[in-house]
Amino acid sequence: MKQITPPQLADWLQDAARPAPVLLDVREPSEFAYCAIPGSLPMPMASVPARMQELDPDAEIVVICHHGGRSMQVAMFLERQGFSKLINLAGGVAQWAQQVDPSMPQY
């Protein structure tokens, strides 16, 4: 599994020549409501095993949480299930808010 920094992900999302990854946000619903990275797919960590059929195992998937701990666990779980292109957002939404989108509310 790879790691990506928020600025690297922002650059990737703006690169029209490269297909955008799936942004899998594994935080809780109350956290999604408070702030979200645009275009992300909200799927709380506890629901990932039941909903993983919604994900393409061959797609590049960036897993996102608040600080990077839950997303790392989900990425490792999905790897064990055969997903091959998983990337953890280092620092999660908290770092995204600090390094990419300072207007995003922090909690």
Side-chain angles (χ1 to χ4, degrees):
M1 172 193 5
K2 299 176 186 175
Q3 293 261 23
I4 192 168
T5 66
Q8 290 170 325
L9 178 57
D11 289 345
W12 181 0
L13 295 173
Q14 293 176 0
D15 185 351
R18 187 174 180 191
V22 173
L23 302 176
L24 179 61
D25 191 337
V26 297
R27 296 175 299 146
E28 295 302 312
S30 61
E31 296 173 295
F32 304 145
Y34 191 69
C35 66
I37 294 175
S40 61
L41 170 64
M43 188 181 295
M45 180 180 181
S47 70
V48 170
R51 293 181 58 193
M52 69 182 180
Q53 75 279 359
E54 296 175 35
L55 302 170
D56 178 355
D58 297 317
E60 290 186 291
I61 300 172
V62 177
V63 189
I64 302 165
C65 70
H66 187 215
H67 288 292
R70 281 182 277 186
S71 57
M72 181 69 78
Q73 291 177 29
V74 170
M76 290 187 304
F77 168 77
L78 289 173
E79 270 188 336
R80 290 189 301 272
Q81 305 308 309
F83 288 76
S84 59
K85 299 177 183 172
L86 294 160
I87 304 162
N88 185 56
L89 180 61
V93 173
Q95 286 300 308
W96 181 272
Q98 288 179 359
Q99 297 176 357
V100 175
D101 185 0
S103 68
M104 180 182 283
Q106 295 200 38
Y107 58 97

